[in-house]
Amino acid sequence: MATVDFLRKLTQATPASCDQEHIPLVVHFSSQTPDRSDALSGVGPSPLPALIESALMIQRSGARGLVIPCNTAHAWYDDVASAIHIPVLHIVDAAVEQLPPALRGQPVGLLATSGTLNSGIYAARHPEIHWVLPSAHVVDLFVMPAIRCVKSDDMTRASQLLDAAVYSLVEQGARAIVLGCTELPLARSDRNLRVPLIDATDALAHMAVRWALSGLPPASEHMKGL
Amino acid sequence: MATVDFLRKLTQATPASCDQEHIPLVVHFSSQTPDRSDALSGVGPSPLPALIESALMIQRSGARGLVIPCNTAHAWYDDVASAIHIPVLHIVDAAVEQLPPALRGQPVGLLATSGTLNSGIYAARHPEIHWVLPSAHVVDLFVMPAIRCVKSDDMTRASQLLDAAVYSLVEQGARAIVLGCTELPLARSDRNLRVPLIDATDALAHMAVRWALSGLPPASEHMKGL
């Protein structure tokens, strides 16, 4: 459902009034890819062979660029990007772009899978940001259960768990919070949580549309050079 | 957005509690395919080369079956199905399967593009049903504008136009109405329209899930043999 959510956001971010103005896409719902967090915790097989196979298939189909609407999979970003010759946009760059400029230098919370948190992909890609991370307790008790609820389509419970995780980061001083797992935006409630929530899925959709319509190299390529 | 809607319905129709229980999919958003209704009216190029190219790409990717979540494209069903060797489910079979058994023999309305209506794909595939079709006036004034509103993301107006089209078929005696264009279910309102609306997109999603999980040949293959 996270991939469907990404595709919906990509379609809505595209200025189009007929089919032909929409961006041609080839999408692989590679649901059999081994669980990324399990692999990063050393309790499951690596998803890398499946990720590369998927990337090669998409490249063969004629696609000119790749996006991976899964934050945790970005722990293998370098390996995937070097296995193909088309550019790969980076979801962390996309999320960071969406931080309100007024909050520059302020603490930014990150809610993500244990895999994303343990592999440190947000901090490694954007060390200039003061990241506020949830405790292992909050991850185990609220974040991972929220993600599992979305994967099994229990949105009410997912939403309560996400709110609890958000409150804990606000208590730790976060002034904005990145929803750094593509399942989490699906669990958003309408409740006012006092800080802006940055939806990494939506951010990647907007970056992808901008990239596809402009023909420019992706922002991630620029950023890598900085 | 119609393809996104199909994917959402397919995901929701799948009994799954983790990624790996979902059905692997390769999806081609072939937005550059020429307009199907224009082609059938003789005012635009044929979409057949694009449809076949898309079907071949999906077959090459390793897919074991194909669905085409576009009713009008089924005017070229035989040509697409004979160009590949994997089975192709038929959206009209899926929609007809969902008609309430209590309404057997009763008039069934069909709201669809001018292309689907003029090419007669519903009646040709299921001549046993008493189809009630909208007048050219209703198609031009309500149905096609509703579809264009969905394609340009104006859902409020789309919904008003769809309701008007539904009422006109109810006046003509329809006891159920097939939404036989994948844009139309997106325009559904919550209003009570007095007759059941059959969502061909949702019907195809359920047929696809059943087919993928059972490994049986598609219902359309059975039906062709009858």
Side-chain angles (χ1 to χ4, degrees):
Chain A
M1 198 53 90
T3 307
V4 174
D5 183 51
F6 171 75
L7 293 170
R8 186 177 62 77
K9 286 166 178 167
L10 189 134
T11 304
Q12 286 181 332
T14 308
S17 61
C18 65
D19 290 5
Q20 291 72 24
E21 289 171 12
H22 280 281
I23 300 166
L25 296 171
V26 177
V27 185
H28 189 197
F29 284 72
S30 52
S31 54
Q32 305 307 301
T33 301
D35 188 85
R36 281 70 66 197
S37 288
D38 284 354
L40 290 169
S41 310
V43 299
S46 168
L48 185 60
L51 290 171
I52 289 180
E53 194 186 324
S54 201
L56 287 171
M57 188 275 282
I58 283 177
Q59 176 174 267
R60 269 198 309 277
S61 76
R64 310 267 200 88
L66 178 68
V67 293
I68 308 170
C70 169
N71 288 265
T72 317
H74 283 71
W76 293 270
Y77 175 89
D78 291 342
D79 294 312
V80 173
S82 63
I84 56 177
H85 58 73
I86 56 176
V88 185
L89 307 200
H90 199 300
I91 198 167
V92 177
D93 294 341
V96 165
E97 263 188 8
Q98 299 292 325
L99 287 170
L103 292 182
R104 201 154 289 166
Q106 302 285 327
V108 175
L110 174 62
L111 292 176
T113 60
S114 50
T116 295
L117 294 165
N118 294 339
S119 61
I121 49 178
Y122 270 76
R125 187 90 183 171
H126 287 283
E128 77 280 10
I129 291 177
H130 173 186
W131 295 104
V132 178
L133 306 181
S135 67
H137 181 76
V138 165
V139 173
D140 292 346
L141 229 59
F142 302 123
V143 185
M144 295 305 287
I147 293 166
R148 280 192 292 270
C149 283
V150 171
K151 286 187 196 271
S152 57
D153 204 25
D154 179 358
M155 298 302 174
T156 310
R157 180 100 188 97
S159 167
Q160 292 162 345
L161 290 161
L162 174 62
D163 284 359
V166 166
Y167 285 129
S168 80
L169 290 186
V170 171
E171 286 304 308
Q172 288 177 252
R175 300 288 307 279
I177 292 173
V178 172
L179 301 180
C181 168
T182 52
E183 265 81 23
L184 293 177
L186 289 157
R188 267 177 101 149
S189 66
D190 291 333
R191 243 169 298 174
N192 179 356
L193 299 169
R194 290 159 39 202
V195 296
L197 300 185
I198 310 299
D199 175 345
T201 311
D202 194 52
L204 184 64
H206 277 87
M207 183 187 261
V209 169
R210 215 172 54 233
W211 178 79
L213 296 182
S214 72
L216 289 174
S220 58
E221 293 299 304
H222 291 305
M223 288 185 171
K224 265 200 276 185
L226 293 180
Chain B
M1 198 52 90
T3 307
V4 174
D5 183 52
F6 171 75
L7 293 169
R8 185 177 63 76
K9 286 165 177 167
L10 188 134
T11 305
Q12 287 181 331
T14 308
S17 61
C18 66
D19 291 3
Q20 291 72 25
E21 289 170 14
H22 280 281
I23 299 165
L25 296 171
V26 176
V27 185
H28 188 197
F29 284 72
S30 52
S31 55
Q32 306 306 302
T33 302
D35 188 86
R36 282 69 68 197
S37 287
D38 283 354
L40 291 169
S41 310
V43 299
S46 169
L48 185 59
L51 290 171
I52 289 180
E53 195 186 323
S54 201
L56 287 171
M57 189 274 282
I58 284 177
Q59 177 174 266
R60 269 198 310 276
S61 76
R64 310 268 199 88
L66 178 68
V67 293
I68 308 170
C70 169
N71 289 263
T72 318
H74 284 70
W76 293 271
Y77 174 89
D78 291 341
D79 295 311
V80 173
S82 62
I84 57 178
H85 57 72
I86 56 177
V88 186
L89 308 200
H90 200 299
I91 198 167
V92 177
D93 294 341
V96 164
E97 262 188 10
Q98 299 292 325
L99 287 170
L103 292 182
R104 201 154 292 165
Q106 301 286 325
V108 174
L110 173 64
L111 291 176
T113 61
S114 50
T116 296
L117 293 165
N118 293 338
S119 60
I121 51 179
Y122 270 77
R125 188 88 183 173
H126 286 283
E128 77 280 10
I129 290 176
H130 173 186
W131 295 103
V132 177
L133 306 181
S135 66
H137 182 76
V138 165
V139 173
D140 291 346
L141 228 59
F142 302 123
V143 185
M144 294 305 288
I147 293 166
R148 280 192 293 269
C149 282
V150 171
K151 286 187 196 272
S152 57
D153 203 25
D154 178 358
M155 299 301 176
T156 311
R157 180 99 188 97
S159 165
Q160 292 163 345
L161 290 162
L162 174 62
D163 284 0
V166 166
Y167 286 130
S168 80
L169 290 185
V170 171
E171 286 304 307
Q172 288 176 250
R175 299 287 308 277
I177 292 174
V178 172
L179 302 180
C181 167
T182 53
E183 265 79 23
L184 293 177
L186 290 157
R188 267 177 101 149
S189 65
D190 291 333
R191 243 168 299 175
N192 180 354
L193 299 169
R194 289 156 42 200
V195 295
L197 300 186
I198 310 301
D199 175 344
T201 310
D202 194 53
L204 184 64
H206 278 87
M207 183 187 261
V209 169
R210 215 172 56 233
W211 178 79
L213 296 182
S214 72
L216 290 175
S220 57
E221 293 299 304
H222 291 305
M223 287 185 170
K224 266 201 277 185
L226 294 180

